[in-house]
């Protein structure tokens, strides 16, 4: 099944909207064994949409469009697609009722324009939209299958996953697809690949006409997701093999594995803390609240995240954390000594199980030969032990802040699990 | 000049990489009067690239591709494009030397594979890449113009802005383009549009064959950028008219204008504080460090951002900010009283000019009928005055955190400038 995404929207072509729907769809398709062959973005005009559909169907038999299903006169996807498929639009009373209900519940008066959203193609199939007012619909012509989705990311992504995907699975995909993820941090993709070379060969040898296995490396900043996919008919066999491969990879990726399922490092930290009934606090300088933000954007984080002091100004370091002014004057705020004192001072000041401290130079200015931009000291500790390590990254300010934070979370993971810490001791 | 972007990369089609280059290019094109007609994403295969080029040139006379210029065998853009343009590749000693220099400076040994990056098309024009090792190049055929850029966002975006755009301006764009931005926050696009209706008419009436003026509404979460564009030959006239329009819009958008140039609200806050030699600190609860992160990601923020307390756990509210346990027990942590005490406690505890405090329920759980998910109290104060206001938003946890933070920054702006605050007093 070859799929093509047709993104309809002037707002994407004029740069006002970053298209995140394509990336969501691409990931969902990969996980479900659907081959996405192209993404085509066109403007909100009849001719653009018609040409786009023409080209899209020349590349794949499944076309999914996003956008242009709203109530205003710019939203011409429905009429144009009906024209392309030689059909007309008709008012669906069922859809009209659900839209009216939706407006009533929100206490907003429904306008004549909204009624247009209840129009559906005569020859197609439509589906009520449980998360918005535009119904989605589907059309067929010979071997061509088409779905129209709204462009609002929250709606599009929900509908693709919960309505379109089940339909596609039901109709086109008779195979079972299993997936296992191994999440690593702090090891380069190329290093992992060379260590897993023989296992990749094993995986390749396991491929038969009926059963297909694959290991993919999905790198992100500081992290690599190892994704095992198994596809075929015999679920028991697929499960057995994918588990076997996973168990071969885990000891090799070893201490770099932060989770055996698809979660973020901050979620993994949350799980470690919950298991131990422990809490975390931070003393952030150069990361300026970003570690705290990562930790607290996880739902339920209030059960283990205690709070933080962002000691940006040195007066907060000396005033609240009781760091000796002499340390800052002689060694500087970006120093092993200051980092140690921030960690120990934070333990006392914030009264939690674990503490994470950062002091560094995010840039773009403020560096020196001795302490270049990108230098960071990361401290981690509990009541028994405090460790500090130095790292050097050289990116833009925002990327440095991001990498400092991710690295700090990895140090905390290693500290909690008793694994060797990374970075330089001096 | 009609442009088409050709995004080459399996990593985009399998969902591993979110394509941000297109959005960057689209914005840059809009600002410079280049019409982006389509974006086409294809995989790293010879046939896909050839078909993509074919289609792209059927849509516009300028095609810019990204990706596939690296040193590995997956990187086939250069050879394929040469084939499409009926030319061959040749080794450029100039490029080879710059690549060798680059590697030497970084102390990395150069491999045979990297030498491939010094190949350039015989019939084209190439440009040394100052931010990476792949040179960019340009080819022409009849009225078709083509540029190849690497896919790494940092490189692609630099090269597009600093090499490709000046070339295009030089060759194709004989007109002068002026732009003025008015940044608003807290007012809906539709409200702004109705208030600016008569000015839009004025702008339209000013259009002649030689001079073109436009007002665009570019909405983002809580914000709308008003962008005035003037295009034509007579710079003095364009400047006079665009200034006239801007001066008509400013008093109407009034207190919702946070900047008269293209900057973020956190940058605008930074400017206000620098002008006043003032500092800001935060007491963050539900925003969990995100306000501090927004403030500190601005370069130079250490001159006005003092530091923050993230008082997630109520023990930090009572312990550090001296909030009466009774207040939290009877009114709750998400209450006007607690917010007031966080603001006044923070002023004392953090010793800065201005303080910003947040306490609310980001969700997805923790809400009640009386205090639903999305409720937030925002406090703002200085030594003379403390104000607290309540807001209700209903989004996902991450979006709520984002909106809470942006709204808090806008309250601070209003507080500093003596403008009426937004939100409910009780």
């Amino acid at each position: 099944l070859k799929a093509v995404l047709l993104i309809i929207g002037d707002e994407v072509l004029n740069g006002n909207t970053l298209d995140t729907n394509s990336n969501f769809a691409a990931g969902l398709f990969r996980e479900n064994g659907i081959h996405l062959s192209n993404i085509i973005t066109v403007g909100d005009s009849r001719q653009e949409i018609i040409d786009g559909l023409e080209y899209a169907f020349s590349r794949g038999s499944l076309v999914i469009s996003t956008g242009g299903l709203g109530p205003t006169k710019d939203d011409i996807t429905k009429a144009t697609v009906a024209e392309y498929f030689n059909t007309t639009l008709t008012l669906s009373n069922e859809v009209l009722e659900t839209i009216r209900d939706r407006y009533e519940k929100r206490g907003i008066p429904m306008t004549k324009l909204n009624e247009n959203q209840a129009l559906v193609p005569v020859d197609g199939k439509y589906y009520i939209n449980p998360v918005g007012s535009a119904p989605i619909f589907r059309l067929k012509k010979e071997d061509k299958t088409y779905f129209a989705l709204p462009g609002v990311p929250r709606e599009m992504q929900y509908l693709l996953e919960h309505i379109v995907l089940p339909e596609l699975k039901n109709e086109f995909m008779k195979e079972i697809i299993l997936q296992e993820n191994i999440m690593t941090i702090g090891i380069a993709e190329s290093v992992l690949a060379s260590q897993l070379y023989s296992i990749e060969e094993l995986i390749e040898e396991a491929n038969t006409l009926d059963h297909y296995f694959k290991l993919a490396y999905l790198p992100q900043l500081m992290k690599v997701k190892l994704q095992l996919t198994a596809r075929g008919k015999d679920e028991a066999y697929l499960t057995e093999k994918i588990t076997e491969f996973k168990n071969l990879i885990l000891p090799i990726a070893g201490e770099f594995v932060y989770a055996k399922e698809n979660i973020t490092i901050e979620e993994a930290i949350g799980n470690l803390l919950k298991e131990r009934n422990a809490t975390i606090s931070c003393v952030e300088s150069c990361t300026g609240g970003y570690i705290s933000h990562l930790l607290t954007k996880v739902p339920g984080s209030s059960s283990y995240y205690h709070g933080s002091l962002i000691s940006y100004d040195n007066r907060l370091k000396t005033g609240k954390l009781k760091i000796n002014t002499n340390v800052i004057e002689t060694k500087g705020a970006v120093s092993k000594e200051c980092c140690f004192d921030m960690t120990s001072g934070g333990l006392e000041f914030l009264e939690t199980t674990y503490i994470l401290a950062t002091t560094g130079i995010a840039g773009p200015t403020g560096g020196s030969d001795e302490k270049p931009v990108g230098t960071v000291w990361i401290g981690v500790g509990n009541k028994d032990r405090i460790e500090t390590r130095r790292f050097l990254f050289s990116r833009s300010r925002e990327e440095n802040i991001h990498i400092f934070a991710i690295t700090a979370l990895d140090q905390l993971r290693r500290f909690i699990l008793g694994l060797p810490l990374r970075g330089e001791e001096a």
Side-chain angles (χ1 to χ4, degrees), chain A:
Chain A
L1 188 61
K2 255 179 142 178
V4 178
L5 286 174
L6 182 65
I7 310 299
I8 302 169
D10 286 342
E11 71 280 14
V12 174
L13 291 171
N14 65 21
N16 292 333
T17 298
L18 172 68
D19 166 30
T20 56
N21 287 336
S22 295
N23 185 249
F24 176 85
L28 194 70
F29 286 173
R30 173 177 39 77
E31 285 170 12
N32 290 282
I34 299 170
H35 175 213
L36 177 62
S37 94
N38 295 92
I39 305 165
I40 302 159
T41 308
V42 302
D44 292 302
S45 90
R46 182 190 154 277
Q47 196 57 50
E48 278 285 316
I49 296 173
I50 299 254
D51 291 353
L53 281 167
E54 200 75 63
Y55 183 66
F57 276 119
S58 76
R59 314 296 307 170
S61 59
L62 168 67
V63 173
I64 297 175
S65 79
T66 69
L69 300 184
T72 71
K73 68 171 198 288
D74 295 348
D75 295 300
I76 58 170
T77 298
K78 212 151 48 179
T80 309
V81 166
E83 179 191 336
Y84 178 83
F85 278 93
N86 274 319
T87 181
T88 52
L89 298 174
T90 180
L91 192 86
S92 156
N93 282 315
E94 186 197 4
V95 175
L96 190 62
E97 280 317 303
T98 58
I99 298 179
R100 190 165 285 146
D101 264 17
R102 199 179 160 77
Y103 276 84
E104 260 172 28
K105 275 192 191 128
R106 307 172 129 207
I108 304 169
M110 187 166 158
T111 67
K112 194 79 196 158
L113 278 176
N114 295 111
E115 285 181 23
N116 288 338
Q117 294 197 289
L119 292 171
V120 297
V122 174
D123 296 325
K125 193 172 162 188
Y126 68 82
Y127 310 78
I128 298 289
N129 177 349
V131 291
S133 43
I136 72 173
F137 62 91
R138 148 178 199 166
L139 285 160
K140 267 184 99 99
K141 185 168 158 183
E142 293 135 36
D143 64 338
K144 299 173 182 175
T145 299
Y146 168 84
F147 282 91
L149 294 175
V152 182
R154 190 177 52 82
E155 295 184 37
M156 183 275 183
Q157 298 177 12
Y158 180 90
L159 298 167
L160 185 68
E161 187 168 354
H162 296 95
I163 294 183
V164 177
L165 187 65
E167 289 272 307
L168 293 175
K169 278 188 164 169
N170 190 25
E171 231 160 302
F172 297 101
M173 296 151 68
K174 301 303 175 199
E175 288 184 321
I176 290 152
I177 296 178
L178 301 179
Q179 214 153 50
E180 288 288 339
N181 293 291
I182 298 171
M183 314 300 288
T184 71
I185 184 165
I187 182 166
E189 183 187 358
S190 56
V191 177
L192 264 176
S194 71
Q195 293 177 355
L196 296 173
Y197 188 78
S198 60
I199 295 183
E200 282 198 81
E201 282 188 327
L202 267 181
I203 292 172
E204 214 158 284
E205 283 162 21
N207 284 332
T208 63
L209 278 179
D210 291 336
H211 296 96
Y212 171 81
F213 301 95
K214 200 190 160 185
L215 173 64
Y217 296 79
L218 313 183
Q220 277 181 301
L221 210 56
M222 305 297 288
K223 299 188 279 190
V224 179
K225 187 203 289 190
L226 297 170
Q227 187 164 73
L228 279 164
T229 307
R231 217 163 68 204
K233 299 214 167 90
D234 182 345
E235 185 165 1
Y237 178 73
L238 291 174
T239 307
E240 184 200 312
K241 293 302 284 183
I242 202 170
T243 310
E244 182 189 320
F245 295 141
K246 189 173 186 179
N247 289 335
L248 285 171
I249 294 170
L250 282 171
I252 297 177
E255 65 187 55
F256 299 99
V257 176
Y258 74 79
K260 296 173 193 173
E261 58 181 325
N262 191 10
I263 59 174
T264 60
I265 177 75
E266 50 271 21
E267 287 172 309
I269 292 284
N271 293 342
L272 286 177
L273 294 168
K274 277 188 279 189
E275 283 162 17
R276 284 159 181 78
N277 234 331
T279 58
I280 172 75
S281 283
C282 310
V283 175
E284 299 192 50
S285 191
C286 57
T287 47
Y290 191 63
I291 301 177
S292 301
H293 169 59
L294 288 178
L295 288 166
T296 56
K297 78 180 167 59
V298 178
S301 47
S302 56
S303 73
Y304 53 82
Y305 175 78
H306 183 67
S308 297
L309 180 71
I310 306 179
S311 58
Y312 224 62
D313 194 302
N314 286 337
R315 282 173 293 166
L316 287 176
K317 297 186 182 82
T318 53
K320 306 299 174 190
L321 302 170
K322 309 291 173 213
I323 295 176
N324 203 310
T325 315
N326 195 34
V327 166
I328 293 178
E329 273 167 13
T330 59
K331 305 288 180 176
V334 180
S335 65
K336 185 177 180 72
E337 291 76 8
C338 184
C339 182
F340 185 94
D341 291 351
M342 285 169 71
T343 317
S344 66
L347 264 176
E348 195 175 320
F349 183 78
L350 293 161
E351 300 169 56
T352 49
T353 326
Y354 295 103
I355 193 101
L356 205 46
T358 57
T359 177
I361 305 148
T365 59
S368 64
D369 281 353
E370 199 201 339
K371 296 173 185 174
V373 166
T375 301
V376 63
W377 277 96
I378 295 173
V380 55
N382 63 8
K383 68 179 171 43
D384 301 319
R385 188 163 68 106
I386 287 176
E387 299 283 350
T388 56
R389 294 290 188 281
R390 182 173 56 82
F391 297 83
L392 176 62
F393 303 102
S394 20
R395 308 261 191 150
S396 67
R397 181 178 180 87
E398 273 198 64
E399 283 180 320
N400 277 335
I401 291 172
H402 192 94
I403 295 183
F404 293 174
I406 295 280
T407 305
L409 291 173
D410 190 35
Q411 287 295 87
L412 174 62
R413 175 185 74 88
R414 288 173 168 268
F415 186 89
I416 294 175
L417 295 172
L419 295 169
L421 295 182
R422 308 190 66 220
E424 306 295 325
E425 295 212 30

